[in-house]
Amino acid sequence: MLHPWSFVSAKRDGIIVRVTLVSVQKPQRHFRRGPPNLQIRAPKGDSQERRQDQAQRRAEVVGEAGWGAEAQRDGLRWRGAGTKPEQGPRHPLKKAEFSSWPFQQQALRIRAHRASQNARQKAVVDAFLHAWAGYRKFAWGHDELKPLTRSFSEWFGLGLTLIDALDTMWILGLKKEFQEARKWVSKKLRFRKDVDVNLFESTIRILGGLLSAFHLSGDVLFLKKAEDFGNRLMPAFRTPSKIPYSIVNIGTGVAHPPRWTSDSTVSEVTSIQLEFRELSRLTGDKTFQEAAEEVTRHVHGLHGKLDGLVPMFINTDRGSFTRLGVFTLGAGADSYYEYLLKQWIQGGKKERQLLEDYLEAVNGIRKHLLARSEPRKLTFVGELNHGRFSARMDHLVCFLPGTLALGAHHGLPAEHMKLAQALMDTCYQMYRQMETGLSPEIAHFNLHRTKAVKDVQVKAADRHNLLRPETVESLFYLHRLTGDRKYQDWGWEILRSFNTYTRVPSGGYSSISNVQDPRHPQPRDKMESFFLGETLKYLYLLFSDDPDLLSLDTYVFNTEAHPLPIWAPS
């Protein structure tokens, strides 16, 4: 029982690096269903592996010196965040292009911010270090910590928690921990292994985490790893429809759907674009961007939508929506909507079709999925099943207030901010009305006027809490964009509840099975990688009053909270 307790030439070793010299020019076992011979590039020989290792060791010297403001080392200058995407053939970069370095400026700001952390931010740092201590001691180099049994679990076998947490450590100013993790990435992280990975999850966590770590630190090691990993994901797109399979083996290059279906979820195939587009921008290899954007264009033209709302599934053979008539903003569709807006922002607000699809979807949400509960009249987003409305809302949907607020910040209708604030209140009540102060995975809202009944109802199968980030993510956006301190206070309540009911004394935090029983919350012995990659990062940023700390005019966060640069900042 868990008791409450109060950088080189432009191209090296096969990777184009955007630098210039100053002095010179629970996974299930799947059977293989993919087309035969879906092979990635031929495996590199031993000599090439040795050259790669040598390059990584050289990069390590640069990276260890790159902490804080030092964005230059050994005559290298890095092309940092906030630059416009390259068009046409690549040309040597001119020295004048480096007069202002957004990532250098961000490093200076993070260093200064570390020296002036307020009490709540220090509490987040303490929580991170406690979680990290458990991971480091009992699960180092493995995917996820099992804090109660002091062991670990594997999903992909790629150090998922460590990679997901790299940019969090940088932002929190944890130099020692970051450098130790970086050394593991340099010496131990190898993608040449026979393992199936989920395209979506590995893209947002691993590829996104490596790209973000590169942008914040200026360390080429992370970019080299990102390109290697990105190449190994590409076979997923080799389907008859170009809609990617959800599973790809990064060692053999064989991609396939899950064994039980030939479908992918819509959110899986439409929530990898930020990362693949950015990888193309950095490497000059347009293959990544073209594959991801072809999916976006294809989904745009499909039949089966309802006023911009999309079904949950898409067939990888035919390229058409399946299981029509079911619409949700929860699992299976959620980040489709998020990435419409964020791609538009990432590309400098130039891609009109993305914006139009997003605006149509928001109108569809308002028309078909919004309702108000009793007795507090909370605005919530339900689900539609063949015309029948369900008052069910996943915790995952709590990403929406932040996304709406972000859109309003970037010039979209003011009514989006009004809806964001109403939904933010609802997501907070999903915590507030639970006995532990922690939200269930799924809430059902009362629609009948009965004073004795709470607005938020929970079924036995839905009362678990996985340490999810969506509510604190939206709290960050709402506070950052309105300045209202109540959002910080709400986040503080949530952090205190995490510490009371999920913190494990030996190190780490555990998901719990019952948010309604403070005496017996029933820990599940699992700390998801996103607790370090997202939840604690957003809490730390929420408690900051500095709007320029990872400015929303300079960075866009992927759906795993990894900040990537806006190509043409407004």
Side-chain angles (χ1 to χ4, degrees):
M1 171 185 172
L2 178 66
H3 296 281
W5 30 83
S6 315
F7 287 90
V8 288
S9 60
K11 185 170 183 179
R12 170 173 284 181
D13 298 331
I15 180 171
I16 300 172
V17 183
R18 299 182 70 135
V19 302
T20 187
L21 290 170
V22 174
S23 56
V24 296
Q25 302 263 298
K26 94 188 165 195
Q28 292 179 284
R29 184 179 179 182
H30 308 298
F31 61 83
R32 313 281 185 199
R33 291 193 53 188
N37 301 321
L38 283 179
Q39 297 297 320
I40 56 175
R41 299 174 181 174
K44 298 177 180 178
D46 290 343
S47 61
Q48 195 164 356
E49 287 282 351
R50 283 196 298 272
R51 288 197 301 273
Q52 199 172 49
D53 289 341
Q54 290 168 358
Q56 288 169 359
R57 283 194 291 273
R58 289 193 295 271
E60 186 172 348
V61 174
V62 176
E64 288 177 351
W67 181 264
E70 293 83 358
Q72 300 183 58
R73 181 69 173 180
D74 300 332
L76 300 181
R77 287 192 174 189
W78 305 91
R79 185 164 193 173
T83 54
K84 296 183 179 180
E86 238 177 298
Q87 303 294 330
R90 297 173 57 83
H91 300 289
L93 301 176
K94 299 177 181 178
K95 187 173 181 178
E97 292 184 63
F98 303 97
S99 59
S100 176
W101 290 93
F103 97 81
Q104 276 185 312
Q105 296 165 2
Q106 196 60 237
L108 281 168
R109 184 170 295 279
I110 289 171
R111 171 178 281 186
H113 201 277
R114 172 76 168 115
S116 60
Q117 289 172 347
N118 59 49
R120 289 180 173 181
Q121 287 181 302
K122 289 178 180 178
V124 176
V125 173
D126 175 76
F128 182 94
L129 289 173
H130 182 79
W132 188 252
Y135 175 77
R136 185 178 183 275
K137 187 172 183 179
F138 305 121
W140 184 250
H142 297 285
D143 282 344
E144 292 171 329
L145 169 67
K146 299 178 70 174
L148 297 178
T149 54
R150 305 181 185 184
S151 58
F152 58 85
S153 61
E154 296 286 34
W155 190 2
F156 308 142
L158 297 173
L160 203 57
T161 293
L162 187 149
I163 297 174
D164 227 359
L166 283 168
D167 56 3
T168 306
M169 288 183 278
W170 185 274
I171 292 165
L172 270 57
L174 299 175
K175 177 179 179 180
K176 176 183 175 183
E177 289 76 12
F178 179 88
Q179 292 296 353
E180 186 177 31
R182 186 208 178 278
K183 184 174 292 185
W184 183 88
V185 171
S186 174
K187 298 183 180 301
K188 300 293 185 181
L189 181 61
R190 297 291 182 269
F191 299 128
R192 194 181 179 191
K193 58 194 303 185
D194 183 5
V195 60
D196 282 357
V197 302
N198 178 278
L199 173 66
F200 164 68
E201 294 289 357
S202 63
T203 295
I204 65 172
R205 301 191 198 205
I206 298 174
L207 182 57
L210 291 170
L211 290 173
S212 177
F214 166 70
H215 277 296
L216 293 179
S217 70
D219 190 336
V220 71
L221 168 70
F222 300 119
L223 178 57
K224 289 172 66 67
K225 292 290 186 181
E227 193 197 29
D228 182 13
F229 191 65
N231 276 317
R232 294 173 185 273
L233 296 178
M234 288 304 292
F237 293 91
R238 297 176 191 165
T239 70
S241 67
K242 303 299 176 66
I243 298 298
Y245 291 126
S246 59
I247 307 294
V248 59
N249 188 298
I250 59 172
T252 66
V254 176
H256 58 90
R259 64 178 182 177
W260 57 86
T261 181
S262 60
D263 295 345
S264 293
T265 68
V266 173
S267 62
E268 283 181 309
V269 304
T270 59
S271 306
I272 54 179
Q273 281 71 15
L274 289 178
E275 298 83 359
F276 276 78
R277 283 156 50 111
E278 180 61 11
L279 185 58
S280 281
R281 188 181 74 90
L282 290 172
T283 64
D285 184 349
K286 298 303 181 184
T287 305
F288 307 112
Q289 181 171 354
E290 289 168 355
E293 289 186 344
E294 185 168 0
V295 176
T296 303
R297 289 190 296 270
H298 183 91
V299 171
H300 165 73
L302 285 180
H303 297 290
K305 299 178 185 178
L306 177 65
D307 293 322
L309 304 178
V310 294
M312 296 169 59
F313 296 96
I314 187 169
N315 185 274
T316 53
D317 294 328
R318 301 187 305 273
S320 57
F321 290 133
T322 62
R323 302 178 229 188
L324 302 178
V326 179
F327 302 98
T328 177
L329 261 73
D334 50 353
S335 46
Y336 161 75
Y337 305 100
E338 176 187 359
Y339 269 40
L340 287 176
L341 176 70
K342 289 184 174 180
Q343 286 180 82
W344 176 69
I345 294 171
Q346 179 191 47
K349 307 178 188 177
K350 299 174 182 177
E351 297 157 289
R352 185 72 190 177
Q353 196 62 69
L354 294 168
L355 175 61
E356 291 176 356
D357 284 355
Y358 175 74
L359 291 173
E360 184 183 13
V362 173
N363 289 333
I365 294 167
R366 300 177 74 100
K367 182 177 179 180
H368 298 288
L369 301 182
L370 282 190
R372 300 180 74 188
S373 68
E374 295 292 344
R376 297 176 62 97
K377 300 191 181 302
L378 301 174
T379 300
F380 69 94
V381 179
E383 299 180 349
L384 200 62
N385 191 334
H386 299 284
R388 185 173 182 177
F389 182 79
S390 170
R392 160 190 162 133
M393 178 171 156
D394 292 4
H395 184 276
L396 287 167
V397 181
C398 287
F399 84 91
L400 186 58
T403 298
L404 289 167
L406 180 64
H409 172 69
H410 282 281
L412 301 191
E415 64 186 21
H416 288 202
M417 178 61 81
K418 184 176 180 181
L419 178 57
Q421 291 171 315
L423 290 172
M424 190 75 264
D425 291 349
T426 302
C427 290
Y428 169 63
Q429 288 299 324
M430 288 168 62
Y431 285 76
R432 180 73 172 174
Q433 294 189 23
M434 296 301 111
E435 288 79 357
T436 60
L438 294 173
S439 172
E441 179 73 357
I442 300 170
H444 294 261
F445 287 86
N446 176 51
L447 299 178
H448 307 288
R449 295 183 180 180
T450 306
K451 292 184 179 180
V453 177
K454 291 182 179 180
D455 295 73
V456 183
Q457 305 292 303
V458 186
K459 296 183 178 180
D462 304 331
R463 60 190 183 186
H464 50 288
N465 181 286
L466 304 181
L467 312 174
R468 285 199 185 276
E470 289 78 21
T471 292
V472 296
E473 169 187 356
S474 286
L475 288 173
F476 156 65
Y477 283 107
L478 267 293
H479 172 259
R480 175 68 66 90
L481 300 176
T482 70
D484 192 332
R485 292 188 178 275
K486 75 178 181 183
Y487 299 120
Q488 291 181 319
D489 294 338
W490 292 356
W492 181 244
E493 291 177 26
I494 292 171
L495 177 59
R496 292 179 65 183
S497 293
F498 279 136
N499 279 329
T500 301
Y501 297 105
T502 72
R503 183 172 170 131
V504 179
S506 58
Y509 289 73
S510 174
S511 302
I512 59 174
S513 293
N514 192 347
V515 297
Q516 295 179 304
D517 190 344
R519 296 187 62 189
H520 304 282
Q522 301 173 32
R524 298 162 70 106
D525 196 22
K526 186 174 184 178
M527 185 177 76
E528 299 275 0
S529 77
F530 54 66
F531 183 65
L532 298 183
E534 298 186 75
T535 307
L536 293 180
K537 181 189 298 161
Y538 278 129
L539 281 166
Y540 183 85
L541 294 173
L542 166 64
F543 297 144
S544 169
D545 290 317
D546 181 358
D548 292 324
L549 179 63
L550 295 173
S551 167
L552 297 178
D553 293 315
T554 305
Y555 291 95
V556 61
F557 289 82
N558 84 338
T559 198
E560 191 74 9
H562 297 305
L564 300 174
I566 296 172
W567 295 348
S570 56

